[in-house]
Amino acid sequence: VEVFYSKLSNSDSTTFKALNASSPTSLPLLRDIRSQFGALAHWVPWYAKINVFNQILYFDWGFEFGAGRLEAVKRTRVGANDPFTETSDNQTAIFAGTSQQFFLSQNWSVRLDMLGAFYNATYKNDNSGDKTWFSNFQFGAGLGYRL
């Protein structure tokens, strides 16, 4: 079982900047995810070892599944030249992912993760209530020490 919290930062991409430059009358809806938290259950069905340069490397491959919350801000604008207005747009999310943990020694390990968040939210500027499913993926790497 794992409980997690992630803080994210976003900035306008070059694609978004090019869209604004080429089509200033477009009125995009942007949802910036600022943070996410939740709880995951882990299932590690594979434990393996390989010989790397005459050293045995042990590793686990597992899967995560859980639920949590995305704290987001919806950025909209009324006119093409108007500034964006931000409104809170927090969402309940389902999380699913996979991870590999490589044991470098009895105490040290390296972990690689991919975690996806799936949530149902509005996709129009007019808040008409029409919803669709969105996904957000994050990749991580960590170094661990076991006591």
Side-chain angles (χ1 to χ4, degrees):
V1 175
E2 176 182 349
V3 177
F4 72 93
Y5 173 82
S6 302
K7 184 151 181 68
L8 306 147
S9 64
N10 300 299
S11 61
D12 294 340
S13 68
T14 54
T15 304
F16 175 75
K17 290 175 185 174
L19 174 65
N20 270 344
S22 67
S23 179
T25 58
S26 64
L27 301 174
L29 165 66
L30 302 174
R31 184 175 287 108
D32 289 338
I33 298 172
R34 303 286 167 91
S35 65
Q36 58 188 18
F37 59 91
L40 301 171
H42 286 261
W43 178 49
V44 184
W46 292 290
Y47 163 80
K49 59 184 176 179
I50 56 174
N51 188 340
V52 180
F53 303 114
N54 284 336
Q55 295 277 25
I56 302 297
L57 178 64
Y58 298 92
F59 65 95
D60 292 344
W61 181 18
F63 302 95
E64 301 95 25
F65 187 77
R69 192 99 173 128
L70 296 177
E71 294 177 344
V73 172
K74 189 164 48 171
R75 295 172 53 200
T76 58
R77 62 184 179 190
V78 178
N81 297 321
D82 294 338
F84 281 99
T85 58
E86 293 186 353
T87 56
S88 179
D89 189 40
N90 298 334
Q91 304 290 332
T92 300
I94 298 168
F95 291 97
T98 185
S99 64
Q100 272 199 324
Q101 188 166 6
F102 299 92
F103 298 94
L104 305 176
S105 70
Q106 204 159 8
N107 297 96
W108 290 97
S109 65
V110 173
R111 182 171 157 179
L112 304 174
D113 288 288
M114 181 190 75
L115 185 64
F118 305 92
Y119 58 97
N120 196 9
T122 59
Y123 63 92
K124 291 184 179 179
N125 277 340
D126 61 5
N127 290 325
S128 63
D130 294 336
K131 291 186 172 191
T132 191
W133 284 94
F134 292 91
S135 61
N136 179 50
F137 288 90
Q138 78 180 36
F139 300 91
L143 182 65
Y145 182 79
R146 293 176 188 253
L147 299 174

